[in-house]
Structure formats: structure tokens, C-alpha cells
């Protein structure tokens, strides 16, 4: 079976290579439609670079700086061409006569002046209801523009305030420095005054002390002279009395010696008395002589203390304190203004503008390249149609050509033939999607997401589902003529409902519910997740798996039904 | 040792709803033999070949190709069978060579052998110089020859051909005949379906005459002509229906079929010497003789003799 599968597989590629119409439908036709759709329906996601600009009619009743800024900014927008009009009536005529003129902007008189004074201003926008879609897209751009202009004005004002604050801070800094220098000079003067005062006071004090010392010396000399005379008289008296004491001392010494001699005599008497010694009565008690120290004292000479003043009696300086007048305090020295906080403080900011920035929910830029929708969308549509051509019409062609019968007669199993054909067409479909995405990336700069390889999952799943779907159609439609009307109707409906041509959210709820049963819906969800929402590969895996599951269901139905085709061709 | 029967059909029966397409058909084709399957449109020729080729299953009966029963070993049977369908079963976008090669490979040949055999087959049918041309660029006759090449590229033991010369120019017809004869001479059993009795007379060793799904007769061409009688026939065309009994009284001359409304009359003669007298009578028949033709006995006569109607109608001849 594998051999037959491989041969049929190769043969499918040969047939494709020889079929210019199919090759055209595989690549050229989708690219043409994608290009046309991308540039024509770009308004759904905003105007695209390179497309014909929209005309915005401007009635400038203000003629001020704001109006000029607005017109200039509009003129810089690649998608917009500014058409001036003298009045609203003239603007109406222009909008009615031009296809791509969806709205008119009226700038009221005094707008610039009001804006400059900080008041709110409002532009008047008149739209053509028939061009509501285009107007909506332009209004979005206009809204961005207004916010940009207002932000720019705020930024300029903020810059001016900041510059003034900077200048003021410089002046304050300079004044503070000057005041600081003056204070330093005053401090120095004060120190000089205090030094001079101290010097003067020291000199006065020294002279006073010197006078006191001279007087004191004179007094001391007189006292010492008087004391010397007194001392001489006392020394004389003492010398007499000391001589008397010496006599007493010598007597006492002799008396002590007599006591020792009596004691010895008594002892000898008692010895001589023998047994009568006891009869000898005790001698009378000698008085206790003064001890030796007392006796020594009696012998010591009197010495008169030196009666002389070495120093003059002190005279307390306080008594002669001299007070110089104090240096007057500098008025205002302690009340210098403190500029430090004022210098450090920044200028008070103008309240900001509450705005918004668009970001894609999955991160990155919220700007959508229209082709991010249309390359996968129309790629899927053409994949379905080409698969109808390759599998559906191809199968019936082979039956009608008789080649299917011939293959069966060759002994190739039906399963092998089917597997080879479907596998080849699956790979052709996958290759078609890869080439379309590559062309979209090169030609239209489509976003491939942060996990580009993840796009292969839905591409492979829808290619498989489309091949199986085409097999079902080939079984439902009996003839070549029936395959394309029936299949194309089903393929186009699946594409439209599945969100290939416009965002799925445009559809009513009941249609969105029905779309859940279609492989196109899940495939587009996977592509949108990776390409537009900027999500990772996991966001594509689930929808791709569901697409694959739907493809499996198609395949089961197709295989069961395809037996009918083979019955037409053989036993 | 007698030649082996490589194609065998026994009591084949096939019906589509209430219509019986093939009824109890039994025959065989031996190796090296070319057997014609002759019958008018709708006789059951294609149904018979389709059953032999295993494209459709018979309601009853057996098919054997090279000894393999279609019910027991269909795949082995198919490997030994070559089939050239009535329709041109080719891939129009592919070249002649690619068409032959793909069927050769599906028959189990390796790529080098398939390529070599494809070149040989194309040379055999006279398309060697057009091998790289896409099928759609070939003439109808060339496509018929290519159709034949695809059926014989794997050198089958039995070859089934379903009206292979329909709409073919004389040059291509000759090339096809030559190729088929060469196949037979190499030992292939050939079953050749056609409603051209001339082709059977020229090509076939034997013929099977069928009509309404039934086998009317089979045998060599001479045997079948014998079945239809040896008398010459004369067909005369008048501008209107001639007077009744205008040829009565001539011994051995009799009308084969009723005079047609358009003035055609088919007569059987006893001998060619009666032509002059018949022409004289025709001049006095009340209608103007526009043309006449004389036929020697052939398979068509045999078919008419067996069925009472012509093998080919006007439309088929045109």
C-alpha cells in the first residue's frame, strides 16, 4: 500500500506542476485578492501606508496657531489629504462630490486664543453617514492628533515653567551666596573687635597687678622688720627659761640615779639582814619619774619660728575689675532668609493630561497591519477552494478520465490511492500557506508573532481539514460540475463565518456560535492569537488541535462516503 | 502441449436493476490467441470486460486470469492483466512518458525498469518521438495508442481491449493492430472488444458474437460467416418505397428484411449473375434507384442471420 501511496503522492505533484491553472490559483490568485482586499478594506483596522489618502475638509475660522498646528499635523499624516474650505457649505459640497472624503473639521474662531489661555476648546466634526466606517477610522486618528497637540502644548508650557524656575533658583543661589559672604565678613570684624577688647583688658589688668604687687612688697618688708624685732625679744626670754629647765633636768637625772642606788642598797640591806629581811618594812614609794621623752623635751633648746612674710597679702582682682564696654550685636545676623528649601524645590508642575496608549493584549504594538488579517484569511479561503479543485475535482476527474479505474486495475489498494492523494494535497496546501505567509511578510510586512513557527500548527491543521472537507464534497457532489458550486458555496460560507474576511466579532452571537463548528474559525483564532494578539505558541496549539479534530471528523465521513466513488469506478 | 487458457469466464451474469447486462457468459482465451468480442452497442461487451478486469463484480459466475480467481486473488490477477478501456484513461496534463511510467510503477515495476519499459511501450505504439508531449497535445489516434501502451507496459499475460480503435485515424489503427498482433505472438492472450466486424475479420483468431448479454455464437471468423450463410447480398436504395413484389419471380432472390421507410432494400441473391436482372426490375419498381451495393458474406451477415438486425446502426457507422 505504501508503494501505491508514494506513487500517487508523486503523481499529484506532477499533475500540479503541469496544471498552470491550479498553480495560478495556489499563489497568484490569493495574492491578488489579498492585495486588493488589504488595500480596499484596510479601514477596518485603519488606513494603510500606500493607500490613497482620505480627504479631510477643513474650515479654518480660527486662523491661529492651534489651527495651523492641527492642519500641519493632518498634512503630515500619510493617510490624510487636507482640503481647505471657506465655509461649511463649501465643505458639504466637497464631501458630497468626493468618494474618499468622509468628514469635515470646523475650527471655530478664537480657538487658538482660548487654548493659549488654558481654556477647553472644541472642534466641530461633520461626517458623511454613508462613510461612517471611514469616518470612524479617521476620527481615531484625529483623536490621537488632538491628544498629541494638547500634550505638546502642555509640554511646552511645562518647559517654560521649568526654565523660569531654573532661572529663579540661580538668582536665589547667587543672593544666598552673597549674604553668606557678608555674614562671614561681619563674623571676622566681630572677632577682631573681641581680640582688641581682650588685649586692652589684659593690659589694664596687668598694670593693676603690677601696682598691687609693688604695694604688697612694701607692706611685707615692713611686717618682716616688725616681726624680727619681736622675735629677738622672745628669743632672749626663752634662753633664760631654757637654762632653768636644764637645771631642773639635771636634778631629775640625779634623782633617778639616787632611786637606782637606793634600790640597790635596799637589796643589799635585805641580803645583809638575812632572815630579818622580812622584817624590814617596805621603803616609801618613789614617784615615777617622767619618761625619757619628757626628759628629752626638757633638754631640747627653744627655736623661734621664722617670723617673715614671703609673699605680700593677696588683693582680689575682682575688687579692681575693669569692664570694657561690650561689642554691640549685629542686628539681623540670625534672621538671614533661608533659600535652601526654595532652591531645592522644583517648579510646581502643570497638571498632566489623562490619555491612553494602546497596547496589544499580548504585549507589543496595538497597531494592526490589515494584512495580518487578510493574508491568513484569504489564504484559508483559497486553500479551501484549491483543495476542492485538487481533491474534489481531481478525484472526479480521475474517475471520469478512467485513470482511477486504471489505478484500481493495477492492483493498487483504494486506501493507498486515497492516502497518497490526500497526503500530497495536504502538503501542497501546507506549502501554499507557507508561501503565502512568506509573500505576505515580504510584500506587506505582516507580523509573524514572537513564535513564528507556531503558525505551522494552524496551517497544517487547516490544510488537513480542508483536504478532508474536499473529500466529503467530492462524495456529496456526483459530478465535476457539481463540485465547484456546492464546494465553493460551503468553502466561502465557512470562510466568511469563520472570520477569514472580517473579524469574527463583527458577526452576531448566533452566527459566532455556529462558527464554532467550523475549522476556519479555530484556525483564524490561532492565527490571530499569534499574529495580531502577539501571544505565544500555546495560544495556537488549542485552536489548531480543534481544527485537526474537525478535520478528522470530515475524513471519517469522506472515507465512508468515498466508497461510492470507487463503486462507480470499480468493484 | 495445447496453449493455456489465460482468460476464463464461466457463467458470468451481471444485471443493473431489472436490466440484464450479461447473461450466463462462458468463454476462454488462450495464450497467443486474439479473440474478438463482437456485438452491437449495448450488447454487454464493456460489462463483460469490466468483470474480467475486476472493475465490477459479477452477480454470478467466475473469472480467472492466468489461473487466478478474481474472488480469491484479485490483486495477483490484476498484476497479470492489462486493460485498455474504451475511454482514454490518461492524465491529460502529464506527458506521454509520465502516463505510461506511472501505470508501470503502479503495476509493481521499479522506477528504472518502469522507465525502460515505458520507452519500449511508446516505441511499440509509435509514440517514441512524442514521449515528452503532454497528452492533451496529442491527436485522438495518438491518445488511443498511448492508452494501449499504458495497458501493455507491464507485459501482462492477458490483455483486454475495449474498442481500442474508436475514432482512430487509419495510421493509428494500423499501428494498434500491429502492436496487438505482436503482443499475441509473444504469448499474450488478447480479448478484443469491438463492434467493427472488419477488425475482427482481420485481427482475430476467433470471435464471440454477443447480443443482449448473451453469447450467440463463437468460433473462427469462417465458422461464424458460415453460420450466416454463403449467399451474396445486395442493398438497393430508392428515392421512396418501391412497389411491393417488384423482384418477385427471380429464383433464389429474397428480401432479408422488410423494406425500410427510407427506401432501402436488402436482398439475398442466389448468385452474382442475378444482379443485372435485379437492376432491370428496379428500374420498373415505381421508384427511382439511387444507389446499390453488393456484399460478399461476412460476420455482419452472420450477426443479422442470428439476430435479425444489423450489427451497427447508422449512427454507429457514422
Amino acid at each position: 500500500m505504501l508503494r501505491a501511496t508514494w506513487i500517487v503522492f508523486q503523481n499529484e505533484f506532477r499533475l500540479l506542476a503541469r496544471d498552470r491553472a491550479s498553480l495560478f490559483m495556489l499563489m497568484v490568485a490569493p495574492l491578488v485578492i489579498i492585495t486588493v482586499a488589504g488595500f480596499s478594506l484596510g479601514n477596518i483596522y485603519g488606513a494603510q501606508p500606500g493607500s490613497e489618502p482620505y480627504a479631510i475638509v477643513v474650515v479654518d475660522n480660527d486662523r491661529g496657531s492651534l489651527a495651523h498646528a492641527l492642519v500641519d499635523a493632518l498634512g503630515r499624516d500619510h493617510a490624510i489629504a487636507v482640503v481647505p474650505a471657506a465655509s461649511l457649505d463649501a465643505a458639504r459640497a466637497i464631501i458630497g462630490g468626493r468618494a474618499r472624503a468622509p468628514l469635515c473639521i470646523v475650527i471655530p474662531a478664537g480657538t487658538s486664543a482660548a487654548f493659549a489661555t488654558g481654556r477647553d476648546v472644541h472642534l466641530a466634526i461633520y461626517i458623511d453617514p454613508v462613510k461612517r466606517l471611514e469616518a470612524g477610522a479617521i476620527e481615531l486618528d484625529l483623536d490621537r492628533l488632538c491628544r498629541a497637540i494638547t500634550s505638546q502644548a502642555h509640554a511646552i508650557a511645562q518647559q517654560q515653567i521649568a526654565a523660569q524656575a531654573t532661572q529663579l533658583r540661580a538668582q536665589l543661589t547667587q543672593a544666598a551666596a552673597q549674604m553668606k559672604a557678608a555674614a562671614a565678613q561681619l563674623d571676622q570684624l566681630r572677632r577682631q573687635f573681641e581680640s582688641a577688647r581682650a588685649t586692652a583688658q589684659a593690659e589694664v589688668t596687668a598694670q593693676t597687678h603690677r601696682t598691687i604687687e609693688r604695694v604688697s612688697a612694701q607692706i611685707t618688708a615692713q611686717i618682716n622688720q616688725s616681726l624680727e624685732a619681736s622675735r629677738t625679744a622672745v628669743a632672749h626670754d626663752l634662753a633664760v627659761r631654757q637654762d632653768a629647765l636644764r637645771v631642773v633636768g639635771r636634778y631629775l637625772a640625779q634623782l633617778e640615779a639616787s632611786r637606782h642606788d637606793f634600790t640597790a642598797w635596799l637589796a643589799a640591806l635585805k641580803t645583809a639582814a638575812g632572815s630579818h629581811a622580812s622584817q624590814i618594812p617596805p621603803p616609801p614609794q618613789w614617784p615615777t619619774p617622767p619618761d625619757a621623752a619628757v626628759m628629752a623635751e626638757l633638754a631640747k633648746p627653744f627655736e623661734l619660728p621664722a617670723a617673715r612674710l614671703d609673699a605680700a597679702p593677696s588683693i582680689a582682682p575682682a575688687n579692681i575689675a575693669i569692664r570694657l564696654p561690650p561689642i554691640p550685636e549685629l542686628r539681623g545676623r540670625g534672621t538671614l532668609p533661608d533659600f535652601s528649601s526654595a532652591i531645592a524645590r522644583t517648579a510646581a508642575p502643570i497638571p498632566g493630561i489623562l490619555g491612553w496608549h494602546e497596547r496589544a493584549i499580548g504585549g507589543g504594538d496595538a497597531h494592526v497591519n490589515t494584512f495580518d488579517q487578510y493574508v491568513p484569511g484569504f489564504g484559508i479561503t483559497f486553500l479551501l477552494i484549491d483543495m476542492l479543485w485538487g481533491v474534489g475535482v481531481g478525484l472526479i476527474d480521475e474517475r471520469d478520465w478512467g485513470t482511477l479505474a486504471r489505478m484500481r486495475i493495477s492492483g493498487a489498494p483504494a486506501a493507498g490511492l486515497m492516502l497518497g492523494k490526500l497526503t500530497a494535497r495536504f502538503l501542497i496546501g501546507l506549502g501554499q500557506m507557507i508561501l503565502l505567509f512568506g509573500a505576505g511578510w515580504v510584500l506587506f510586512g505582516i507580523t509573524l508573532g514572537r513564535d513564528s513557527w507556531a503558525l505551522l500548527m494552524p496551517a497544517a491543521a487547516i490544510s488537513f481539514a480542508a483536504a478532508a472537507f474536499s473529500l466529503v464534497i467530492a462524495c456529496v457532489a456526483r459530478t465535476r460540475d457539481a463540485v465547484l458550486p456546492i464546494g465553493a458555496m460551503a468553502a466561502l460560507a465557512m470562510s466568511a463565518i469563520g472570520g477569514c474576511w472580517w473579524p469574527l466579532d463583527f458577526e452576531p452571537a448566533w452566527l459566532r456560535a455556529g462558527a464554532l463548528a467550523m475549522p476556519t474559525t479555530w484556525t483564524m483564532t490561532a492565527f490571530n492569537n499569534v499574529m495580531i494578539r502577539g501571544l505565544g505558541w500555546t495560544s495556537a496549539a488549542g485552536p489548531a488541535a480543534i481544527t485537526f479534530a474537525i478535520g478528522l471528523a470530515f475524513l471519517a465521513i469522506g472515507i465512508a462516503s468515498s466508497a461510492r466513488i470507487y463503486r462507480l469506478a470499480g468493484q | 502441449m495445447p496453449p493455456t487458457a489465460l482468460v476464463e469466464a464461466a457463467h458470468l451474469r451481471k444485471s443493473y436493476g431489472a436490466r440484464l447486462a450479461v447473461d450466463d457468459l462462458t468463454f476462454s482465451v488462450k495464450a497467443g490467441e486474439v479473440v474478438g468480442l463482437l456485438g452491437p452497442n449495448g450488447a454487454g461487451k464493456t460489462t463483460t470486460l469490466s468483470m474480467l478486469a475486476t472493475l465490477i463484480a459479477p452477480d454470478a459466475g467466475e473469472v480467472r486470469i492466468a489461473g487466478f480467481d478474481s474472488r480469491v486473488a484479485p490483486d495477483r490477477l490484476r498484476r497479470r492483466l492489462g486493460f485498455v478501456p474504451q475511454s482514454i484513461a490518461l492524465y491529460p496534463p502529464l506527458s506521454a512518458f509520465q502516463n505510461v511510467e506511472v501505470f508501470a510503477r503502479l503495476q509493481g515495476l521499479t522506477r528504472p525498469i518502469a522507465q525502460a519499459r515505458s520507452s519500449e511501450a511508446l516505441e511499440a505504439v509509435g509514440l517514441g518521438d512524442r514521449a515528452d508531449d503532454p497528452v492533451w497535445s496529442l491527436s485522438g489516434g495518438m491518445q488511443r495508442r498511448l492508452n494501449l501502451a499504458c495497458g501493455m507496459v507491464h507485459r501482462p499475460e492477458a490483455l483486454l481491449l475495449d474498442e481500442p480503435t474508436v475514432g482512430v485515424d487509419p495510421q493509428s489503427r494500423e499501428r494498434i493492430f500491429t502492436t496487438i498482433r505482436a503482443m499475441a505472438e509473444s504469448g499474450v492472450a488478447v480479448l478484443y472488444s469491438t463492434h467493427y466486424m472488419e477488425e475482427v475479420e482481420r485481427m482475430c483468431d476467433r470471435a464471440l458474437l454477443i447480443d443482449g448479454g448473451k453469447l450467440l455464437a463463437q468460433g473462427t471468423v469462417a465458422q461464424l460467416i458460415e453460420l450466416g450463410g454463403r449467399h451474396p447480398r445486395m442493398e438497393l436504395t430508392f428515392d421512396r418505397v418501391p412497389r411491393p413484389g417488384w423482384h418477385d419471380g427471380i429464383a433464389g432472390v429474397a428480401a432479408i428484411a422488410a423494406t425500410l421507410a427510407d427506401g432501402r432494400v436488402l436482398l439475398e441473391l442466389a448468385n452474382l449473375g442475378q444482379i443485372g436482372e435485379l437492376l432491370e426490375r428496379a428500374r420498373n419498381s415505381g421508384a427511382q434507384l439511387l444507389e446499390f451495393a453488393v456484399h460478399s458474406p461476412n460476420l455482419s451477415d452472420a450477426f443479422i442471420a442470428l439476430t435479425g438486425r444489423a450489427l451497427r446502426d447508422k449512427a454507429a457507422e457514422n
Side-chain angles (χ1 to χ4, degrees), chain A residues 80-222:
Chain A
I80 291 171
V82 177
V83 179
S87 65
L88 187 57
D89 287 338
R92 284 197 185 99
I94 293 171
I95 289 175
R98 291 181 68 157
R100 291 176 69 84
L103 58 81
C104 158
I105 300 172
V106 176
I107 307 174
T111 298
S112 296
F115 188 72
T117 56
R119 281 184 284 150
D120 291 343
V121 295
H122 296 281
L123 305 176
I125 296 178
Y126 296 85
I127 69 162
D128 181 353
V130 175
K131 302 162 189 167
R132 175 72 261 187
L133 192 63
E134 297 95 321
I138 297 298
E139 280 174 352
L140 273 177
D141 280 348
L142 197 60
D143 181 50
R144 275 191 214 103
L145 203 60
C146 286
R147 277 190 292 113
I149 289 173
T150 310
S151 294
Q152 194 177 7
H154 270 70
I156 290 169
Q158 189 73 57
Q159 282 176 353
Q160 289 173 344
I161 290 171
Q164 289 171 354
T166 302
Q167 191 177 2
L168 184 60
R169 275 199 302 275
Q171 290 171 347
L172 285 172
T173 303
Q174 188 179 5
Q178 289 171 347
M179 290 180 71
K180 192 175 178 181
Q185 286 178 346
L186 284 173
D187 285 342
Q188 191 176 0
L189 283 172
R190 184 179 176 81
R191 280 194 299 275
Q192 289 173 353
F193 280 135
E194 284 176 348
S195 175
R197 183 174 177 277
T199 303
Q201 187 151 4
E203 183 61 28
V204 170
T205 303
Q207 288 178 4
T208 303
H209 279 289
R210 280 195 297 274
T211 305
I212 291 171
E213 283 173 3
R214 190 171 60 250
V215 170
S216 178
Q218 291 171 351
I219 293 170
T220 302
Q222 291 173 357

Side-chain angles (χ1 to χ4, degrees), chain A residues 3-4 6-7 10-11 14-15 18 398 401-403 405-412 569-571, chain B residues 54-57 78-79 83 88-95 98 101 105 107 109 111 147 150-151:
Chain A
R3 177 182 172 76
W6 174 238
I7 294 168
Q10 289 176 303
N11 201 46
R14 278 180 174 171
L15 287 170
R18 292 272 186 164
E398 289 221 32
W401 290 338
T403 50
R406 194 161 226 165
M407 282 187 174
R408 290 299 316 281
I409 294 168
S410 71
Q571 73 182 45
Chain B
T54 71
L55 283 173
I56 57 175
R78 287 167 181 148
R79 288 275 186 250
F83 180 63
I88 296 175
L90 301 169
Y91 291 104
L94 299 187
S95 70
Q98 286 172 327
E101 188 207 7
R105 294 194 65 204
Q107 286 287 358
L109 303 183
R111 182 189 290 269
N147 207 26
C150 291

Side-chain angles (χ1 to χ4, degrees), chain B:
Chain B
M1 183 177 171
T4 310
L6 295 176
V7 178
E8 297 171 274
H11 308 294
L12 285 182
R13 180 189 295 273
K14 181 69 182 178
S15 59
Y16 297 107
R19 188 174 70 84
L20 193 60
V22 173
D23 185 13
D24 196 26
L25 202 58
T26 299
F27 63 88
S28 66
V29 183
K30 296 182 177 65
E33 190 178 27
V34 179
V35 173
L37 186 60
L38 187 62
N41 291 331
K45 301 189 298 291
T46 298
T47 301
T48 301
L49 287 182
S50 295
M51 286 190 286
L52 292 173
T54 71
L55 283 173
I56 57 175
D59 296 337
E62 287 182 15
V63 170
R64 284 179 181 275
I65 302 292
F68 294 105
D69 192 320
S70 64
R71 295 164 303 183
V72 178
D75 289 339
R76 299 179 75 176
L77 179 154
R78 287 167 181 148
R79 288 275 186 250
R80 286 155 180 81
L81 180 69
F83 180 63
V84 180
Q86 183 177 356
S87 62
I88 296 175
L90 301 169
Y91 291 104
L94 299 187
S95 70
F97 182 85
Q98 286 172 327
N99 267 280
V100 182
E101 188 207 7
V102 73
F103 292 114
R105 294 194 65 204
L106 280 171
Q107 286 287 358
L109 303 183
T110 61
R111 182 189 290 269
I113 295 176
Q115 289 179 341
R117 295 271 185 87
S118 297
S119 296
E120 289 173 16
L122 287 172
E123 288 295 337
V125 298
L127 291 174
D129 57 341
R130 303 296 299 270
D132 295 328
D133 293 346
V135 166
W136 56 262
S137 71
L138 302 178
S139 68
M142 290 176 178
Q143 290 181 8
R144 284 282 169 195
R145 282 188 268 160
L146 181 58
N147 207 26
L148 173 61
C150 291
M152 58 181 250
V153 64
H154 58 293
R155 296 179 182 172
E157 294 177 51
L159 182 62
L160 310 179
L161 301 119
D162 191 2
E163 307 205 24
T165 58
V166 171
V168 165
D169 59 281
Q171 184 188 0
S172 290
R173 187 189 303 264
E174 284 305 316
R175 176 65 78 163
I176 289 171
F177 289 164
T178 304
T179 306
I180 292 171
R181 280 311 322 176
M183 293 281 288
E185 285 165 10
S186 68
V188 177
V190 179
L191 181 61
Y192 188 99
S193 165
T194 184
H195 59 257
Y196 294 122
M197 58 101 184
E198 298 86 352
E199 291 183 354
V200 175
E201 288 174 351
R202 179 177 169 184
M203 286 277 301
C204 298
D205 303 310
R206 289 192 297 127
L208 310 172
L209 279 181
I210 65 169
D211 189 35
K214 287 181 180 294
L215 180 62
L216 301 179
Q218 63 176 311
T220 64
V221 172
Q223 287 171 335
L224 291 176
I225 292 173
E226 182 69 28
L227 284 177
R230 289 175 173 270
H231 302 290
R233 286 180 292 116
M234 186 171 183
E235 185 177 351
L236 302 98
T237 303
F238 296 91
D239 63 347
R240 57 184 178 274
V241 178
R243 173 173 49 80
W246 64 274
H247 54 76
D248 289 350
I250 304 175
V253 174
I256 294 173
T259 303
L260 300 175
D262 61 0
R264 276 195 298 152
V265 179
L266 187 61
L267 303 175
E268 184 177 82
L269 312 184
N271 54 67
L272 295 176
Q274 295 173 314
I275 292 173
E277 189 177 358
L278 274 173
L279 291 176
E280 185 61 31
R281 291 281 193 95
R283 207 164 42 230
N284 300 315
S285 64
Q288 185 176 353
L289 179 65
L290 299 178
E291 63 177 12
F292 73 93
V294 179
H295 303 274
S296 293
N298 57 25
L299 282 176
S300 184
D301 300 323
F303 187 84
I304 292 170
L306 291 170
T307 64
R309 60 193 181 94
L311 190 57
R312 281 180 287 166
D313 54 26
K314 276 280 185 186
E317 288 181 359
N318 293 334

Side-chain angles (χ1 to χ4, degrees), chain A residues 98-395:
Chain A
R98 291 181 68 157
R100 291 176 69 84
L103 58 81
C104 158
I105 300 172
V106 176
I107 307 174
T111 298
S112 296
F115 188 72
T117 56
R119 281 184 284 150
D120 291 343
V121 295
H122 296 281
L123 305 176
I125 296 178
Y126 296 85
I127 69 162
D128 181 353
V130 175
K131 302 162 189 167
R132 175 72 261 187
L133 192 63
E134 297 95 321
I138 297 298
E139 280 174 352
L140 273 177
D141 280 348
L142 197 60
D143 181 50
R144 275 191 214 103
L145 203 60
C146 286
R147 277 190 292 113
I149 289 173
T150 310
S151 294
Q152 194 177 7
H154 270 70
I156 290 169
Q158 189 73 57
Q159 282 176 353
Q160 289 173 344
I161 290 171
Q164 289 171 354
T166 302
Q167 191 177 2
L168 184 60
R169 275 199 302 275
Q171 290 171 347
L172 285 172
T173 303
Q174 188 179 5
Q178 289 171 347
M179 290 180 71
K180 192 175 178 181
Q185 286 178 346
L186 284 173
D187 285 342
Q188 191 176 0
L189 283 172
R190 184 179 176 81
R191 280 194 299 275
Q192 289 173 353
F193 280 135
E194 284 176 348
S195 175
R197 183 174 177 277
T199 303
Q201 187 151 4
E203 183 61 28
V204 170
T205 303
Q207 288 178 4
T208 303
H209 279 289
R210 280 195 297 274
T211 305
I212 291 171
E213 283 173 3
R214 190 171 60 250
V215 170
S216 178
Q218 291 171 351
I219 293 170
T220 302
Q222 291 173 357
I223 290 170
N224 285 338
Q225 190 177 6
S226 177
L227 283 174
E228 188 61 32
S230 300
R231 187 174 176 272
T232 304
V234 170
H236 180 267
D237 288 345
L238 283 175
V240 173
R241 291 183 188 188
Q242 196 163 20
D243 288 343
L245 283 174
R246 281 189 205 103
V247 171
V248 172
R250 277 187 304 266
Y251 169 76
L252 287 175
Q254 288 170 358
L255 186 59
E256 180 65 19
S258 298
R259 190 183 62 97
H260 280 291
D261 291 345
F262 174 76
T263 301
W265 172 82
L266 184 57
L269 180 63
K270 282 181 180 178
T271 301
S275 60
H276 297 295
S278 60
Q279 293 173 354
I280 304 168
Q285 194 69 39
W286 295 72
T288 306
D291 61 12
V294 174
M295 294 304 292
E297 281 296 324
L298 288 176
K300 282 177 57 178
F302 288 105
E303 287 184 8
L304 286 175
R308 181 182 181 83
L309 284 175
D310 291 331
S314 64
I315 299 171
N319 294 337
I320 55 170
I322 300 169
R323 287 186 178 277
L324 295 177
I327 298 171
E329 283 293 329
L330 291 173
R331 280 182 297 176
R333 169 69 180 84
T335 59
L336 281 175
D338 182 8
F339 296 127
S340 58
S341 60
I343 291 170
R345 206 165 48 238
T346 56
I350 296 174
I353 297 171
L354 179 60
W356 43 265
H357 291 290
E358 281 184 338
R359 292 283 184 276
I361 194 77
D365 193 353
H367 172 74
V368 175
N369 181 346
T370 307
F371 292 97
D372 288 355
Q373 165 73 19
Y374 291 126
V375 167
F378 282 101
I380 290 172
T381 302
F382 275 92
L383 174 72
L384 290 170
I385 292 171
D386 292 337
M387 208 61 90
L388 279 174
W389 194 264
V391 175
V393 174
L395 209 55

Side-chain angles (χ1 to χ4, degrees), chain A residues 393-543:
Chain A
V393 174
L395 209 55
I396 289 175
D397 270 352
E398 289 221 32
R399 183 197 64 192
D400 294 346
W401 290 338
T403 50
L404 205 57
R406 194 161 226 165
M407 282 187 174
R408 290 299 316 281
I409 294 168
S410 71
L417 301 178
M418 191 62 74
L419 185 61
K421 184 173 278 290
L422 290 181
T423 305
R425 289 295 166 176
F426 159 72
L427 288 178
I428 290 168
L430 180 59
Q432 178 189 15
M433 291 300 283
I434 292 171
L435 286 175
L436 282 178
F437 273 73
W441 184 66
V442 171
L443 298 177
F444 310 120
I446 63 169
T447 311
L448 299 180
R450 62 181 190 225
D451 292 335
S452 307
W453 63 269
L455 297 174
L456 286 174
M457 290 191 289
I462 190 62
S463 187
F464 168 73
F469 163 75
S470 300
L471 182 60
V472 173
I473 293 296
C475 297
V476 171
R478 289 173 176 270
T479 63
R480 191 181 209 270
D481 292 340
V483 166
L484 282 181
I486 294 173
M489 182 186 68
L492 296 180
M494 280 203 301
S495 297
I497 297 171
C500 294
W501 300 348
W502 46 70
L504 198 61
D505 293 336
F506 279 22
E507 299 170 10
W510 62 269
L511 208 53
R512 289 202 304 274
L516 295 177
M518 297 179 183
T520 47
T521 307
W522 296 101
T523 306
M524 279 308 294
T525 301
F527 283 138
N528 286 344
N529 283 348
V530 175
M531 298 174 68
I532 298 179
R533 296 191 175 99
L535 301 176
W537 67 271
T538 52
S539 68

